Amino acid sequence: MKNIALILMLTFSGLMVAQKQEFIRLDQNLKDKNSRTHSLTFIDARPDKTIGTLTDKEEKVEIRFEDSDLKSHLENRFVSDNKKVGTNDIVIILEDLKAYDEQDENKDFPYAKVKIRISGFLKRNSRYYFINRFDNVMVSNPKITAHPQRFLVPRISDIITDFIRTSYLLNVTSSYIPENEISNYDAYLAKNYRAFNNLELKDGVYPNFKSFYNQEPNPEYNTEKNKKGKVVRLIRNGMQVSLSEMYGYVEGGKAYKLTPVGFDEMHKNEKGFYIHSSRVNLFLEVKTGGAFVGGIAGGFVGALIGAAIDSASSSNNGAMIGIGYKSTLETDVYIDSLTGGYVFTK
């Protein structure tokens, strides 16, 4: 009887442990509707494969992948979903994925968060061409979300799946990376980042991030200020145009980025350029019944594209289509060195 009781106790304990896990299920379709893609290679390059835990009503919940063999799972899914293929070989690298609770400054309680960094490349022979990157922190609002893992875990699945599908659609945005440098692609491509590498920034108006990246201001534009010294008008070839036609401007060697709440000065450190702002200031207002609106296919595909592109272009007045809680926390928000998008670190 004692043995039976012990077995039952151990079984019950095992069930209790299982109940404290939330699984990321990557079961969405990976079909390339345009049949451009020939193959998908998935690389799990996370230095630490442990994702972490979130707190649900004082109980810790471990976040795990349902299938820990991500490479086989996603590559087989691609083959299964794509009977007709094209010529493009796509490589997806998952660089980081962490779930954690964080107590932000001047906040009454911790927030559940997920940090994810995933990049996409086009591979031709032994050369890789950068396509896109999603590098951000998502936040769950404890005031409206009783179980943070149930909100954040599906977002992880959506981001990975939609990022892969988005990579089928986007054009390459950089020079090639040799195969032996792919694990160090960020530093390899950084040598082309003139705005970061040059000692001084060129004065002028920049219509998009690419022009800022290459330090090529457009001479067709100039700005006008009000009596308080604030830029309030944009002039192109003598005619006033919308401020949304520019990514930002440089004056006296200082860069200013257009945001939904005005121009924020861009600072620089060893990590890159950044502004001091918040999600509530930078997230795009969405006036529909859905959680997100996308420029191509809606849903998180649009959110991903928005996160990496909208804030890098002159569209939406420097706003991004965000994922997660629009926190009022003001922090240093970095400018992605390859996409120009906003990168929240907290």
Side-chain angles (χ1 to χ4, degrees):
M1 290 297 293
K2 290 183 178 180
N3 289 337
I4 294 175
L6 179 61
I7 292 172
L8 290 174
M9 184 177 68
L10 291 173
T11 303
F12 180 73
S13 299
L15 290 173
M16 290 299 290
V17 171
Q19 289 173 357
K20 295 179 182 180
Q21 296 178 339
E22 189 79 15
F23 292 99
I24 304 167
R25 294 176 171 84
L26 300 173
D27 53 7
Q28 298 182 45
N29 193 294
L30 292 181
K31 183 174 179 58
D32 177 2
K33 295 181 180 180
N34 296 312
S35 300
R36 298 175 181 175
T37 308
H38 173 258
S39 69
L40 174 70
T41 299
F42 188 90
I43 300 173
D44 186 357
R46 293 174 295 157
D48 180 7
K49 301 299 192 288
T50 301
I51 298 173
T53 60
L54 299 174
T55 302
D56 181 5
K57 299 185 183 299
E58 300 183 357
E59 185 177 43
K60 293 293 184 180
V61 181
E62 182 185 7
I63 310 302
R64 301 180 61 183
F65 281 106
E66 184 178 46
D67 186 344
S68 60
D69 187 355
L70 298 180
K71 180 177 178 64
S72 295
H73 180 84
L74 291 169
E75 290 180 5
N76 291 338
R77 183 67 195 242
F78 174 84
V79 172
S80 174
D81 291 341
N82 292 273
K83 303 305 180 185
K84 182 179 179 182
V85 298
T87 59
N88 295 335
D89 294 317
I90 300 296
V91 177
I92 302 296
I93 302 178
L94 180 61
E95 301 177 59
D96 195 13
L97 177 60
K98 289 296 177 185
Y100 52 93
D101 300 310
E102 186 172 49
Q103 179 73 52
D104 294 324
E105 187 177 355
N106 298 323
K107 298 298 180 182
D108 297 330
F109 32 72
Y111 286 75
K113 300 182 180 182
V114 165
K115 174 176 174 55
I116 182 169
R117 178 180 168 113
I118 186 169
S119 305
F121 303 84
L122 171 67
K123 183 181 180 182
R124 286 181 176 162
N125 298 319
S126 60
R127 295 180 174 184
Y128 291 75
Y129 297 83
F130 177 79
I131 297 174
N132 196 10
R133 175 163 65 191
F134 183 84
D135 183 7
N136 249 302
V137 173
M138 295 180 294
V139 183
S140 175
N141 184 358
K143 289 186 178 180
I144 62 175
T145 306
H147 308 283
Q149 74 278 9
R150 296 180 187 175
F151 171 76
L152 290 172
V153 166
R155 305 291 86 79
I156 298 172
S157 175
D158 286 331
I159 286 173
I160 294 174
T161 303
D162 285 337
F163 186 87
I164 293 172
R165 292 192 297 230
T166 302
S167 296
Y168 304 153
L169 306 173
L170 298 180
N171 296 320
V172 297
T173 58
S174 71
S175 55
Y176 78 86
I177 306 154
E179 190 163 22
N180 63 341
E181 293 284 355
I182 190 61
S183 62
N184 194 40
Y185 76 91
D186 215 353
Y188 183 85
L189 293 177
K191 62 185 179 181
N192 301 321
Y193 194 179
R194 293 178 183 174
F196 183 76
N197 295 325
N198 292 355
L199 294 178
E200 295 184 359
L201 297 174
K202 291 183 180 179
D203 285 4
V205 174
Y206 296 86
N208 49 49
F209 176 71
K210 184 178 180 180
S211 62
F212 178 77
Y213 180 98
N214 292 322
Q215 281 297 277
E216 297 174 345
N218 191 325
E220 295 181 359
Y221 292 95
N222 65 278
T223 59
E224 291 184 355
K225 298 181 178 180
N226 61 14
K227 294 180 180 180
K228 296 181 180 180
K230 294 184 177 182
V231 170
V232 292
R233 286 180 292 276
L234 179 64
I235 309 299
R236 183 177 188 181
N237 295 327
M239 299 289 292
Q240 183 174 343
V241 295
S242 171
L243 287 172
S244 66
E245 285 194 20
M246 71 166 151
Y247 174 78
Y249 69 95
V250 174
E251 182 179 71
K254 293 184 178 181
Y256 301 87
K257 188 185 183 310
L258 178 67
T259 76
V261 293
F263 289 95
D264 283 359
E265 183 176 351
M266 296 171 66
H267 304 280
K268 178 184 174 183
N269 60 21
E270 71 282 357
K271 296 179 181 179
F273 288 96
Y274 65 93
I275 62 176
H276 195 75
S277 191
S278 66
R279 289 174 175 79
V280 74
N281 285 341
L282 298 177
F283 276 18
L284 183 68
E285 289 290 342
V286 179
K287 300 178 180 179
T288 71
F292 305 98
V293 175
I296 291 181
F300 276 93
V301 173
L304 288 167
I305 293 173
I309 295 179
D310 282 356
S311 50
S313 69
S314 57
S315 64
N316 296 327
N317 288 326
M320 68 179 286
I321 303 174
I323 301 175
Y325 173 50
K326 291 174 61 173
S327 170
T328 59
L329 178 70
E330 293 197 353
T331 63
D332 293 337
V333 182
Y334 284 85
I335 307 300
D336 191 296
S337 62
L338 295 179
T339 69
Y342 297 125
V343 177
F344 290 89
T345 59
K346 294 183 72 65

